Amino acid sequence: AQSGTVAADPQQYDQAYLSPVTIGNSQLMLDFDTGSADLWAFSNETPASESVGHAKYDSSTGTELQGYSWSITYGDQSGAAGNVYADKVVVGGVTATKQAVEAATSISTSFSDNTDSDGLLGLAFSSINTVTPKQQTTFFDTVKPTLAKALFTCDLKQGNAGSYTFGYIDTSKYTGSVTYVPVDDSQGFWSFTAGGYSVGSDNATSGSVGVSIADTGTSLLYLPAAVAKAYYAKAGGKFDNQQGGYTLPCNGNAPDFNVAIGGKTFVVPGSYIAYAPITSGSQTCFGGIQANTGIGFNIFGDVFLKAVYAIFDVSQGAPRLGFAAQ
Ligand SMILES: O=C(Cc1ccccc1)Nn1cnc2ccccc21
């Protein structure tokens, strides 16, 4: 049975985390994304003007899936599209001998401009994979039958390299016990229900945060408008239309955000919520908590995930998420 671990290296401000992946004879840095289910990469089929500075997948090592294509649009309206190959993919020693690899023929500017990232490796449920005419499986779903345990874990860190594991739980990566909650995979996401919340030192939580997805492909923590408002009322922040979201002082006094999941309270340090100066050198920071307006559910992105050890587990049949303090 297979198991393995791979580094998750943070970009500036932990905007995304990148991991080394070997596809055929190509070595790429991919953004592991529990919020989508396509494995796509810059490739020899990507226009040169769109792939400056990126490592590319050389599709000559793959077997083209004739007539197959893919096209994906993310919540921020970025996207990519292209053709499909079957090729060998190796992540941290775990090998998928015939993985659907989506070679990009067109890519939106936010991806082309981010030269650290050579593509995405989707880890949401394969039910939202965009390949047509025959939907393909994610890397995790492809290797799942060969894994020691049908699970992967995510240990992201603030400003430091973290890791993903496949097939095993690294008990040295967390403190205390793991709290498991049921996952509703009906929309293809790792969706769970978060409970009460509180701001600052009082971690007796109240209210209800509600339906949420665990999404490594999203940088920030998107919460109900009322919760975001309550946080910034205590943090001395404000909604800044020009910035398109809440901002707050970068001065290191941001209060923690506490949220109950499965009856256990998890703490997001205030330092994670003073996310990044709105412009270089500014004393005003863009907020790591934003309102989920227009999304329809909460998104527990990297600002939350880097505060916990997360276990994405389908070993029990029904999918579940495990969270532990780190
Ligand atoms: O798209 C989202 C968040 C989202 C926003 C609105 C509705 C549903 C989900 N995250 N994400 C996941 N992978 C991504 C890749 C690029 C950009 C955003 C990405």
Side-chain angles (χ1 to χ4, degrees), residues 8 13 15 51 80 100-101 109 141 151 164 200 210 212 224 227 244 260 288 308 313 319:
Y13 303 125
Q15 180 252 334
S51 50
V101 178
T109 49
D141 275 349
L151 59 84
Y164 289 96
S212 307
V227 177
V308 300
D313 182 349

Side-chain angles (χ1 to χ4, degrees), residues 106-196:
S106 69
I107 299 177
S108 65
T109 49
S110 63
F111 289 113
S112 298
D113 295 348
N114 180 358
T115 54
D116 295 334
S117 172
D118 305 319
L120 266 70
L121 187 141
L123 292 170
F125 291 87
S126 299
S127 59
I128 57 173
N129 173 268
T130 73
V131 174
T132 180
K134 192 169 175 295
Q135 195 169 54
Q136 300 297 302
T137 53
T138 64
F139 172 78
F140 174 59
D141 275 349
T142 305
V143 300
K144 190 166 60 178
T146 70
L147 292 178
K149 286 184 180 174
L151 59 84
F152 64 91
T153 74
C154 162
D155 178 26
L156 302 180
K157 294 195 173 304
Q158 166 91 335
N160 282 303
S163 58
Y164 289 96
T165 73
F166 290 88
Y168 79 103
I169 292 170
D170 183 342
T171 56
S172 73
K173 297 286 187 205
Y174 61 86
T175 61
S177 59
V178 177
T179 298
Y180 285 97
V181 287
V183 161
D184 165 14
D185 62 359
S186 62
Q187 303 307 305
F189 296 122
W190 290 90
S191 180
F192 64 100
T193 298

Side-chain angles (χ1 to χ4, degrees), residues 33 35-36 74-76 78 111 120 189 213 215 217-218 295 297 299:
D33 178 10
S36 66
Y74 299 100
D76 65 356
S78 64
F111 289 113
L120 266 70
F189 296 122
I213 68 170
D215 182 2
T218 289
I295 297 175
F297 44 81
I299 304 180

